[in-house]
Amino acid sequence: MLLTLLLSAPSAQATESLLQTEKQYRLAAWHFFRDDDYQALLHLSLAPEPAAKARLLQAGLFLQLDMPAATAALLEQLLAEQTVSGALPQELRNVALLQFSQYQFEQQQPEQARFYFAKLSAPLLQLTGQATLLQQMLTWPNITPFDDKVFQQLAGQAELPYVVINHILALRQQQKSAQALQLLARLNNALSKPTTMSFWQQLFREPSTAMGSDDRVERDALADYLLLLKAGLLVDEKRWAEAQQVLRGFASNSVLTLPAMTLYRDVLIENRQIPVLLAVLQQLITRYPLAPASWLAAHQIGMQLELTFEQQQALAAYRWAEQYYQRQLTANAGYRVPVSAEQLANPDTLTPWQFYQLRQQSALYQLNRQLDAVAQLQQQQQQRLARLAHLTDAVQSKLLQQQQLLTQALPRLTAKQQGLQAQSAALAETIRQAQTEPMAQLLWLNDAEQAFSQHQHMLTRASSRLQQLAADGRDMTAENARLQRLKGLLTWHYQQNSAERSYQLAQLQQQLTAELQQIDSGIQRLAALEGKTTRLLAQQQQLTQSMANEQGFSVLLAEQQQQLLRSLNQALQQQRLAEREQLMALQRLNTQAIARLMEQVLLSTEEAN
């Protein structure tokens, strides 16, 4: 029986540990779906023995918070160790490795990406599409030749169109536009119904990546991209009319409208559709004032008018472009103002140029994401510091209370205890003496004690007198009987009073005993506070150390934020200077065009004269 208990106890303990781990894991998953990654990490840290899936969830949360080093460390442990729930399932291993490899690739760490990608193990099942797409990016442009089985292997997977698009782009790079157009036609016919992403795919995917292909926005963007790709392939084939027909119906509110308008502009130039071209150029200037394509459009308006021999209109367009470039250069000079962390926290305070660059430049976008992650950490850090400060104040208040009790209440209670002990001892001695005497006066109540004393004195004198008279030979029998009756009455009154008096003394003794017990208990509690004071002092020291560590971490976060902010502002200034060079080059080109056209006008005027 004892052996059975010994064997079953660890099993019960392990079961309880697993139940607690499962509880914390589910709470963490719930907070993850509510976009509260920090609370999810807190619940995972409370798990007694994190299981494989709990640690995998923790790794994914680290990745969400832009902490690749912590993610890599956890993944290495998961790949090498056995956990409470057993080895990590192969499917989850593949999900984590695949998404972390993709993350490393997006962070421009191709060697690390290939390292984790090589750890994938077959079969990949629903991960085949993601693995194929990532492999293409890791080996670009030397991707494997297209296989017709791709449509069958990736049927129903969201990555199918992107895998095929990469093959189309590879064919285009090889100047095989005809084959690329055929493959694009097959893709348009083979796009399957969208599928939803699994929990682990949602967890490990980058927050910046596109949503699942079942999302209407992505489907529209994908359709627009395929249309733009088709137009580009038709341009490569020099099928200008067909390309113009495709671009004419392109959506005006798409995320790809700018590159579509730019390509449409080139097609219209080639097809010599001047009126439509001028309208497109004006739309570029109006809708995208911060894009380099609109700056070029300002010069191209005059250039196209010049080609149509509209010299006066062309000259006016060139002069307007000259003013336009000057305004752009003036605005460019105003972009020197650096971006602050407060502006990044509230995008509405950013200038249009800053907001545009943070969305258009991938390097700036990544820096902005990292700054956002640091800002979230700082906000969470402030909450932790506030909680530590509250705990420190509570411990300090308890320490002051205990010190006050130990320095004031303890001596007072000790003195009171000694006084009550003396009273109790005196009372006990009084009761003992009263109980030894036959008729103690202390057992009489109030005024009855004086009457008792007088009666007892009178009876004593009467007894002495009767003895003297009896010695003289007198008969004192009746008097002796009467004296005995008086003594009996006095004894009866004594016994009646002594019972009540003894009860009162006993009650008084009990009250003193109870009060002494309360005081003893209070003194014991106060004495026990000395040990608690030591514990509180240790807690106070730990809180002080924790506060110092957290403040040090806050300083590191602030330094990291400043470093990222400097990098962001440097990149913005580099972009500003590059745009300034483009504007100045276009301004010189426009100035040369004005000079050339004015010379032609003068020559034409002289010839006319």
Side-chain angles (χ1 to χ4, degrees), residues 274 278 300-311 313-315 317-318:
I274 303 303
L278 293 177
Q300 286 180 326
I301 292 176
M303 186 173 62
Q304 294 301 320
L305 291 172
E306 183 181 1
L307 292 176
T308 58
F309 303 102
E310 300 287 344
Q311 292 183 341
Q313 296 182 12
L315 186 58
Y318 282 139

Side-chain angles (χ1 to χ4, degrees), residues 35 37 69 175 196 204 257 275 342 359 401 517 536 596:
D35 296 327
D37 296 337
Q175 298 182 355
T196 58
F204 276 93
T257 300
E342 291 75 13
R359 294 185 62 185
Q401 291 177 0
Q517 289 177 352
L536 285 174
R596 182 184 66 251

Side-chain angles (χ1 to χ4, degrees), residues 420 508-520:
L420 289 175
L508 180 60
Q509 190 177 31
Q510 290 179 2
Q511 291 177 3
L512 287 174
T513 303
E515 192 171 354
L516 277 172
Q517 289 177 352
Q518 292 179 358
I519 293 176
D520 290 341

Side-chain angles (χ1 to χ4, degrees), residues 309-541:
F309 303 102
E310 300 287 344
Q311 292 183 341
Q312 294 298 331
Q313 296 182 12
L315 186 58
Y318 282 139
R319 286 174 175 170
W320 179 88
E322 180 70 18
Q323 298 175 357
Y324 173 77
Y325 290 138
Q326 189 59 44
R327 290 196 301 270
Q328 291 293 331
L329 286 171
T330 302
N332 182 274
Y335 300 155
R336 293 192 182 96
V337 180
V339 178
S340 64
E342 291 75 13
Q343 287 180 294
L344 294 176
N346 186 11
D348 294 336
T349 60
L350 293 170
T351 64
W353 180 80
Q354 292 170 341
F355 186 77
Y356 177 81
Q357 298 300 332
L358 292 177
R359 294 185 62 185
Q360 292 296 320
Q361 305 296 328
S362 60
L364 293 174
Y365 179 77
Q366 291 294 334
L367 285 172
N368 188 25
R369 280 192 63 253
Q370 294 175 7
L371 280 166
D372 183 63
V374 171
Q376 293 182 19
L377 285 174
Q378 286 180 323
Q379 183 179 4
Q380 189 71 13
Q381 187 68 11
Q382 291 176 356
Q383 296 177 2
R384 284 196 293 268
L385 288 173
R387 287 196 295 269
L388 284 174
H390 177 72
L391 290 173
T392 303
D393 292 341
V395 170
Q396 181 65 25
S397 177
K398 289 183 178 180
L399 278 172
L400 291 176
Q401 291 177 0
Q402 290 185 5
Q403 290 175 359
Q404 184 179 4
L405 289 173
L406 290 173
T407 56
Q408 299 179 7
L410 184 60
R412 185 175 64 252
L413 285 177
T414 303
K416 187 175 181 180
Q417 181 193 38
Q418 293 174 355
L420 289 175
Q421 287 175 347
Q423 293 180 16
S424 179
L427 180 60
E429 180 62 23
T430 300
I431 294 174
R432 186 190 65 78
Q433 291 178 0
Q435 290 175 350
T436 58
E437 296 179 7
M439 295 181 66
Q441 293 184 4
L442 292 174
L443 298 178
W444 288 83
L445 294 174
N446 303 329
D447 296 339
E449 294 180 1
Q450 186 176 0
F452 166 74
S453 178
Q454 293 176 358
H455 292 160
Q456 190 178 29
H457 182 66
M458 292 172 62
L459 289 175
T460 302
R461 289 175 58 191
S463 178
S464 298
R465 181 64 177 165
L466 287 176
Q467 289 177 1
Q468 291 176 3
L469 292 174
D472 293 338
R474 293 185 180 185
D475 185 10
M476 303 302 297
T477 305
E479 287 76 4
N480 283 329
R482 185 179 178 184
L483 182 62
Q484 293 300 322
R485 286 196 298 271
L486 290 173
K487 287 184 177 180
L489 287 173
L490 185 62
T491 303
W492 178 80
H493 283 292
Y494 167 78
Q495 290 177 349
Q496 183 180 5
N497 287 329
S498 66
E500 185 176 356
R501 186 64 169 172
S502 297
Y503 175 77
Q504 291 178 354
L505 292 174
Q507 288 291 105
L508 180 60
Q509 190 177 31
Q510 290 179 2
Q511 291 177 3
L512 287 174
T513 303
E515 192 171 354
L516 277 172
Q517 289 177 352
Q518 292 179 358
I519 293 176
D520 290 341
S521 177
I523 292 176
Q524 290 176 2
R525 288 196 299 269
L526 289 175
L529 286 179
E530 296 182 358
K532 293 183 178 179
T533 302
T534 305
R535 187 187 64 178
L536 285 174
L537 288 173
Q539 291 179 353
Q540 187 182 45
Q541 185 177 2

Side-chain angles (χ1 to χ4, degrees), residues 48-166:
E49 295 185 28
K53 61 181 181 181
R55 298 172 73 184
L56 185 60
L57 175 58
Q58 189 176 16
L61 290 170
F62 282 145
L63 187 60
Q64 290 283 323
L65 297 175
D66 198 17
M67 301 170 66
T71 304
L74 267 179
L75 286 178
E76 289 294 338
Q77 294 177 8
L78 287 170
L79 293 173
E81 298 177 359
Q82 294 290 323
T83 59
V84 175
S85 61
L88 189 67
Q90 179 180 341
E91 181 181 1
L92 300 188
R93 286 167 54 96
N94 287 336
V95 169
L97 289 170
L98 183 60
Q99 299 303 327
F100 189 62
S101 176
Q102 181 177 347
Y103 176 84
Q104 294 289 352
F105 175 77
E106 292 175 355
Q107 295 297 316
Q108 299 181 357
Q109 300 288 339
E111 295 300 326
Q112 289 292 325
R114 294 189 185 95
F115 172 78
Y116 287 103
F117 184 83
K119 292 181 177 292
L120 292 173
S121 54
L124 297 176
L125 302 176
Q126 293 298 321
L127 301 177
T128 304
Q130 292 187 35
T132 305
L133 184 60
L134 181 57
Q135 187 177 24
Q136 287 180 335
M137 292 187 291
L138 291 174
T139 59
W140 184 265
N142 302 318
I143 63 176
T144 57
F146 178 75
D147 189 352
D148 290 338
K149 296 181 180 179
V150 169
F151 288 104
Q152 181 179 0
Q153 293 173 349
L154 304 183
Q157 297 190 25
E159 293 77 20
L160 171 62
Y162 304 104
V163 171
V164 179
I165 285 172
N166 283 337

